[in-house]
Amino acid sequence: MIQLRVKELAEKRGIGNPFSLSKESGVAYANCYKIWNNQQKMIGLDTLDRLCDALGCQPGEILVKVSAGSRGVKKVT
């Protein structure tokens, strides 16, 4: 399964909540809330691009593959 590391990356950059992320990225608050809480099932490339710009990162830093039985962020190698 693929998970988003947006909350972790945002907090490292001083963005502490979905509302602040929405303001920084220009992504709608409702989407930022779902992304922040790992409730988002799909993400558009334009949203991913805006998040990368706001977080100063590459898409590969936001997306992580985790094992199917794991709830935490555990990379599969």
Side-chain angles (χ1 to χ4, degrees):
M1 135 166 45
I2 304 292
Q3 284 188 345
L4 301 172
R5 296 182 53 227
V6 172
K7 181 178 179 180
E8 177 185 339
L9 294 171
E11 288 176 341
K12 286 181 181 178
R13 287 160 178 79
I15 301 171
N17 57 57
F19 181 74
S20 296
L21 179 62
S22 176
K23 286 177 58 177
E24 289 289 324
S25 66
V27 174
Y29 171 75
N31 288 341
C32 286
Y33 180 86
K34 288 180 182 179
I35 290 166
W36 189 272
N37 293 296
N38 274 319
Q39 297 172 346
Q40 192 76 9
K41 299 295 179 193
M42 294 179 9
I43 187 167
L45 293 178
D46 58 331
T47 301
L48 188 58
D49 185 51
R50 287 178 182 216
L51 291 172
C52 286
D53 287 344
L55 299 175
C57 66
Q58 296 293 316
E61 295 174 79
I62 290 178
L63 304 170
V64 64
K65 174 117 172 113
V66 296
S67 60
S70 174
R71 291 204 169 215
V73 177
K74 185 176 183 180
K75 290 185 181 180
V76 176
T77 55

